[in-house]
Amino acid sequence: MREAIRLGVHPARTVREDGSSPTSGLPAYVPREIDAALRAAVAREEFVLIVGESTAGKSRAAFEAMQAVLPSHLLAVPADRTAVEPLVRHVSRRTEPAVLWLDDLERFLGSDGLSPQCLAALANRPGTVILATIRSFEHQRFTARAEPAVNEQDRTAWRASRHVLKSAHTLYLNRIWSPGELAAASSFTDDPRIALALRRTHSFGLAEVLTAGPELLRDWRTAWEAGAHPRAAALVAAAVDCRRIGLDDPVPRELLEELHHHYLAARGGHALRPEPLEEAWRWALQPVHGASSLISPSGPDRQEPRFTAFDYLIDQPGQASVPPETWDIAINHASPGQVPLIAGKAYLYQRRAFHYAVDTGLLDDVFSHASALADRRQYAEAIALLSQELDRQEADPGESPPQRTSLRHQIALYTMLLGRPAEAEAAFREILAEQETTLPPGDEYLHVIRHNLASCARRRGDLAGALAQFRALLADREIHLGPMAMNTLDTRRVIARIIADMGDPVEALRQAREVLAAEEAQLSRDHSNTLETRCRIAEFLSRSGDHAAALEVLDECLPDLVRVNGDEHPDVLKARWQRAACIVVCGRWPEALKEFEALLAAYDRCLGPDHPTTRQARAELLELRSRQVG
């Protein structure tokens, strides 16, 4: 079964419960309820995808199905994303049937990996089967989650990956085993590993226990204790966060060693009595009872040693925020193909790192530049940049219509944000009419356009009309995306804001708190949407008259805003202005006046003296001074 482990099947523990003579190798395969459907799909479908949580047993079930149904097929296994297309070309030139094995499919998606074009090439080559697995969390990013709100380049890549996933015949494998599966496993208790695992299935899946997933997680958490293995724990934290920010491929040892110092220092540094570096590596790479290790080396075909964190650790709830240093260091180490992946995550979770990627030229496409300008409230400049690109593409018949539609969409969005909602609304209606002729009714892009149309109505002052549109959109998104999807929650937050604008801040506060609880659970406290909701809650508290509570919310939120966005991001300055206004109401005039003056100077630097926000801030400061004198 050495081949199975090389293909991504997690090895099983090798020791008996009583510590007597160990049992090595993979345990016998315990049948799963998915097997019949999976093997039938492998026999007749061109693309089969198994979705499930880490250590649910996806890779083992796929391997057993391949062995049973396609034992004589050529096996093609790409080393990484960039190897997919050359391997597809190689397979297409051969005559024998083949299996393209893609364990952890998210590592192979993208324009330089498994793209719609690759699928089309394989479709013309009968006898080739794509057999893939993907973790539930990654799969949800393209289905139950919303379309990215980053920039059109990332949105286009997202749609291409979603197209690939929708092309697959998808089966789902549960981490927790059913009573029937556990009954089947009881026939294999002559293997002490299965016998031991069966005793713990009240809390875990059998495959989860066999791969020592819970033990690895426990070992990582206890390793932070002083005198234990804190340096190894820091290496593991660095490897885990590399995957969390978008580095799905194994990373070099030097990167983890550079990153781990920040994690170690944050936990106490020398006070933890960290072990030597080589000892830390030995401990982190040591398999638990012969099973998986906290950090795993990449395949032996690589000349440079690279490492990846055990996937069971990646999606654990309640993890701390990824430190800013990790984003900065990783994005500087990333290959050109990896930078957009990290920057896409950074736009949502670490906006400062996104701007760094654009400002330094690491991310150098027109959509990213426009997004960076717009995020700094330089809407006119973003519109000019995109309009220039649209003119160029319209003059070039070789450019694709979807690119031009994306440019028109972004121009309309920034036109709305610039304060011209009627003009933007006309553009969105034109785009919606075009897209409704080609996209199915539930397509999220149609929902995005409808969201922007409702936003135009709100900005025109038609609050009742906007509220009706957003409520209709919410009903559709709950059906097509689910109640906890990012864009569904975004719609609920806007509805709360309109309710506050219509004079009911108490109800708006109630709804916003519900949204915040869902966003913190689904997106994390650092997500840009979550941070916005926290600021909205402070605003609604102020509107309802509880300025002291609003001040408490802002005092808690501002450090997170600064860490994610930087000191002088417009969102940070806006929250500081909001806080200063609360201080005024609380009677702390000298402190508030000093803060307002500092903020006006920051607006002058960041936005310029003639920006509408700067002019408004200057007017409010003059009014405050006159009130103080009066």
Side-chain angles (χ1 to χ4, degrees):
M1 286 295 183
R2 198 175 289 273
E3 296 83 0
I5 294 175
R6 286 173 59 88
L7 292 178
V9 176
H10 292 307
R13 60 177 66 242
T14 59
V15 69
R16 297 180 184 272
E17 186 178 21
D18 60 4
S20 59
S21 56
T23 304
S24 61
L26 283 179
Y29 180 65
V30 178
R32 305 295 301 272
E33 291 177 352
I34 196 179
D35 286 343
L38 174 58
R39 297 180 186 198
V42 169
R44 69 171 185 270
E45 303 288 343
E46 296 176 344
F47 184 5
V48 180
L49 175 64
I50 307 175
V51 179
E53 294 179 63
S54 171
T55 65
K58 306 181 297 297
S59 303
R60 182 69 188 273
F63 177 79
E64 296 294 335
M66 179 177 66
Q67 289 282 84
V69 180
L70 309 173
S72 60
H73 275 48
L74 175 72
L75 182 59
V77 186
D80 53 30
R81 180 183 290 104
T82 59
V84 172
E85 188 175 354
L87 192 59
V88 167
R89 289 198 303 269
H90 176 74
V91 167
S92 299
R93 289 194 296 265
R94 299 177 70 106
T95 58
E96 65 266 51
V99 174
L100 180 62
W101 176 272
L102 302 175
D103 194 46
D104 291 332
L105 178 61
E106 70 274 8
R107 298 190 298 116
F108 303 101
L109 294 173
S111 59
D112 57 344
L114 186 65
S115 62
Q117 293 75 21
C118 278
L119 290 182
L122 287 174
N124 296 325
R125 204 279 192 187
T128 299
V129 177
I130 302 175
L131 187 52
T133 70
I134 190 170
R135 300 191 340 266
S136 301
F137 179 83
E138 293 292 338
H139 189 254
Q140 288 167 6
R141 290 200 298 116
F142 300 97
T143 54
R145 289 289 178 91
E147 193 159 350
V150 186
N151 55 61
E152 278 303 314
Q153 183 186 41
D154 290 331
R155 186 177 291 134
T156 300
W158 182 89
R159 289 179 193 157
S161 295
R162 183 182 64 167
H163 174 82
V164 169
L165 291 173
K166 292 178 75 171
S167 302
H169 180 89
T170 304
L171 300 101
Y172 297 86
L173 185 62
N174 290 325
R175 176 177 60 86
I176 301 298
W177 287 39
S178 71
E181 289 173 330
L182 292 176
S186 66
S187 301
F188 294 85
T189 52
D190 55 329
D191 188 320
R193 297 167 296 179
I194 294 178
L196 174 61
L198 279 169
R199 300 177 195 174
R200 302 183 64 191
T201 53
H202 61 285
S203 301
F204 306 106
L206 188 139
E208 184 179 3
V209 180
L210 282 172
T211 60
E215 289 185 60
L216 287 166
L217 179 61
R218 182 203 62 203
D219 288 350
W220 179 30
R221 289 172 173 170
T222 58
W224 285 109
E225 296 175 4
H229 300 280
R231 191 181 299 279
L235 288 170
V236 175
V240 167
D241 281 355
C242 280
R243 295 192 64 177
R244 289 173 66 197
I245 68 173
L247 282 173
D248 293 319
D249 291 333
V251 297
R253 173 172 173 150
E254 308 86 75
L255 174 58
L256 296 182
E257 290 181 357
E258 182 176 354
L259 287 172
H260 98 280
H261 293 292
H262 301 282
Y263 292 90
L264 192 59
R267 287 292 192 117
H270 292 297
L272 297 177
R273 303 197 303 277
E275 70 278 29
L277 183 60
E278 288 304 320
E279 180 183 333
W281 273 109
R282 282 194 298 273
W283 188 85
L285 292 169
Q286 178 64 45
V288 174
H289 301 310
S292 303
S293 54
L294 288 160
I295 296 178
S296 301
S298 64
D301 53 325
R302 288 186 179 273
Q303 293 182 353
E304 179 189 12
R306 289 175 176 262
F307 303 88
T308 187
F310 184 44
D311 56 15
Y312 186 80
L313 310 176
I314 309 304
D315 303 328
Q316 292 297 320
Q319 296 193 70
S321 303
V322 177
E325 297 86 358
T326 297
W327 295 94
D328 296 341
I329 295 171
I331 208 164
N332 276 306
H333 278 76
S335 67
Q338 293 172 326
V339 169
L341 302 175
I342 302 174
K345 289 278 187 78
Y347 189 89
L348 296 175
Y349 293 96
Q350 180 62 222
R351 195 69 55 89
R352 184 191 50 77
F354 171 78
H355 283 286
Y356 172 81
V358 174
D359 294 344
T360 58
L362 293 171
L363 198 62
D364 195 26
D365 64 281
V366 66
F367 287 112
S368 297
H369 278 281
S371 293
L373 288 168
D375 186 55
R376 288 168 170 160
R377 308 302 187 263
Q378 296 173 302
Y379 301 121
E381 292 86 345
I383 291 169
L385 181 64
L386 294 175
S387 297
Q388 182 180 13
E389 177 65 15
L390 180 61
D391 290 341
R392 186 192 69 78
Q393 291 196 15
E394 287 180 336
D396 183 356
E399 294 287 352
S400 63
Q403 275 282 337
R404 293 197 289 271
T405 299
S406 298
L407 287 163
R408 290 165 54 208
H409 182 110
Q410 291 303 100
I411 291 169
L413 176 63
Y414 299 149
T415 300
M416 177 188 73
L417 296 173
L418 188 60
R420 307 203 302 262
E423 179 183 341
E425 190 171 13
F428 281 129
R429 290 197 184 281
E430 184 178 340
I431 295 171
L432 181 63
E434 295 170 359
Q435 296 301 307
E436 284 179 331
T437 64
T438 59
L439 297 176
D443 191 275
E444 179 56 16
Y445 184 50
L446 299 180
H447 293 159
V448 170
I449 303 172
R450 288 171 56 198
H451 181 104
N452 291 334
L453 281 168
S455 296
C456 288
R458 180 181 68 81
R459 290 171 181 269
R460 282 193 291 101
D462 181 10
L463 297 182
L467 184 60
Q469 291 181 57
F470 275 117
R471 282 175 169 164
L473 175 61
L474 177 61
D476 287 342
R477 277 182 161 163
E478 285 180 333
I479 292 171
H480 293 286
L481 294 177
M484 293 300 195
M486 182 178 72
N487 278 8
T488 306
L489 296 173
D490 187 39
T491 304
R492 291 177 58 191
R493 185 196 320 108
V494 179
I495 288 173
R497 181 177 183 179
I498 295 174
I499 289 172
D501 290 342
M502 295 176 75
D504 193 353
V506 175
E507 173 60 18
L509 179 61
R510 184 192 68 79
Q511 293 192 22
R513 281 172 167 160
E514 290 181 354
V515 172
L516 179 62
E519 286 178 336
E520 288 184 336
Q522 298 294 318
L523 307 177
S524 90
R525 288 175 65 83
D526 280 354
H527 193 282
S528 57
N529 288 14
T530 310
L531 291 169
E532 181 179 344
T533 302
R534 293 166 68 185
C535 291
R536 289 293 172 200
I537 286 174
E539 176 187 334
F540 300 155
L541 283 166
S542 290
R543 290 194 190 189
S544 63
D546 195 347
H547 301 286
L551 194 56
E552 288 181 7
V553 171
L554 289 169
D555 283 341
E556 182 184 4
C557 186
L558 264 167
D560 294 336
L561 275 169
V562 171
R563 175 170 45 79
V564 168
N565 295 301
D567 290 331
E568 294 193 340
H569 186 275
D571 289 348
V572 173
L573 300 181
K574 181 179 178 181
R576 286 177 59 192
W577 194 275
Q578 188 179 355
R579 180 182 180 277
C582 289
I583 293 175
V584 169
V585 179
C586 293
R588 292 150 54 183
W589 282 80
E591 180 185 350
L593 186 61
K594 184 178 180 181
E595 178 69 358
F596 277 130
E597 290 172 344
L599 283 168
L600 180 57
Y603 278 129
D604 274 328
R605 285 193 304 273
C606 299
L607 302 179
D610 296 325
H611 193 279
T613 302
T614 308
R615 292 201 301 267
Q616 180 182 353
R618 187 176 294 110
E620 290 182 12
L621 179 56
L622 288 173
E623 181 184 354
L624 177 66
R625 285 171 173 161
S626 66
R627 286 167 53 195
Q628 187 182 26
V629 172

